[in-house]
Amino acid sequence: MDRMITAADAPRSPGRPRSVRADEAIVEATLDLISEGTSIEALSIEAIAGRAGVGKATIYRRWPGKDALVIDALRKLKGPPPVPRGESVRADLLTLLVTVGRTPDERAARVMPCLIPEINRSADRMRIWQEITAPRRQVMREVLQRGMVTGELRADLDVEVTIGLLTGPMLMHRMLGWEPEVAEQTLAERVVDTVLAGAAPA
């Protein structure tokens, strides 16, 4: 059994920094358990603490509950959204789309598809998913809104529907392999150009 991280369990004096090592162990344990097939509903603080080698009190000092911990863990798994350079709407959308459904952490390929059934069954799980994906949607929203101001896009563009038109095919292809005749290497460019053809000013 892994050694318990008892130092993090001791009472903290005012101003004492949190143990980065304990934080990382807890987040990694959460991701490992989910990637191994534990549903979010079945996931327990006890199981996470056991895998991380910490006491439950250590977790509760850092997160108010399981959902908050899961949100942080999934955010870490996805990583921060890319930062567009602002050169053009097309270039910025390509920067954003090539990362949709893709992460260097191999656990994501097992974790993300498993979330879909849980999202559909539970309003709480849907809330978690929305909190994780909201920052990425906001970045794309800002790119599209900027394009409407600069005249690269129609002034009456439906921004929210356009976000769905851009990200939907990428997620479908990478999570479900929906169209084997479409090469993944060129998919982002084809999606962007197809959507922009309808979003450009008349």
Side-chain angles (χ1 to χ4, degrees), residues 10-83:
R12 290 193 297 163
S13 58
R16 177 185 173 189
R18 287 171 26 160
S19 167
V20 174
R21 180 183 174 190
D23 289 358
E24 291 177 349
I26 293 164
V27 168
E28 289 299 309
T30 303
L31 291 174
D32 284 343
L33 288 167
I34 296 174
S35 69
E36 291 166 8
T38 303
S39 68
I40 295 178
E41 184 176 3
L43 188 67
S44 68
I45 294 297
E46 290 82 357
I48 296 169
R51 177 65 66 93
V54 302
K56 289 192 296 182
T58 301
I59 297 177
Y60 284 119
R61 275 199 294 270
R62 289 157 167 78
W63 291 274
K66 182 178 71 175
D67 282 358
L69 171 53
V70 168
I71 289 171
D72 278 356
L74 293 177
R75 280 178 177 156
K76 179 181 184 296
L77 184 66
K78 288 185 70 65
V83 179

Side-chain angles (χ1 to χ4, degrees), residues 135-202:
R136 294 173 179 270
R137 288 197 305 274
Q138 181 59 26
V139 173
M140 187 171 291
R141 185 178 294 115
E142 291 170 357
V143 169
L144 295 173
Q145 290 170 339
R146 189 187 73 240
M148 295 166 69
V149 172
T150 62
E152 295 172 81
L153 301 175
R154 288 165 29 195
D156 63 345
L157 183 70
D158 189 326
V159 171
E160 301 309 314
V161 169
T162 303
I163 292 173
L165 292 172
L166 289 163
T167 58
M170 303 301 298
L171 287 171
M172 288 285 289
H173 189 75
R174 287 180 174 160
M175 295 178 70
L176 301 175
W178 68 280
E179 180 48 83
E181 299 302 320
V182 176
E184 182 173 342
Q185 293 83 352
T186 61
L187 181 58
E189 186 172 13
R190 293 170 67 177
V191 169
V192 168
D193 287 342
T194 298
V195 172
L196 288 183

Side-chain angles (χ1 to χ4, degrees), residues 34 38-41 70 74 78 100-101 108-130 132-133 167-168 170-176:
I34 296 174
T38 303
S39 68
I40 295 178
E41 184 176 3
V70 168
L74 293 177
K78 288 185 70 65
V100 172
R110 300 189 297 273
V111 170
M112 293 306 175
C114 293
L115 292 179
I116 303 304
E118 297 198 45
I119 290 169
N120 291 330
R121 289 197 303 264
S122 167
D124 288 339
R125 303 291 89 82
M126 176 62 76
R127 178 181 56 78
I128 289 175
W129 177 253
Q130 294 297 337
I132 295 166
T133 57
T167 58
M170 303 301 298
L171 287 171
M172 288 285 289
H173 189 75
R174 287 180 174 160
M175 295 178 70
L176 301 175

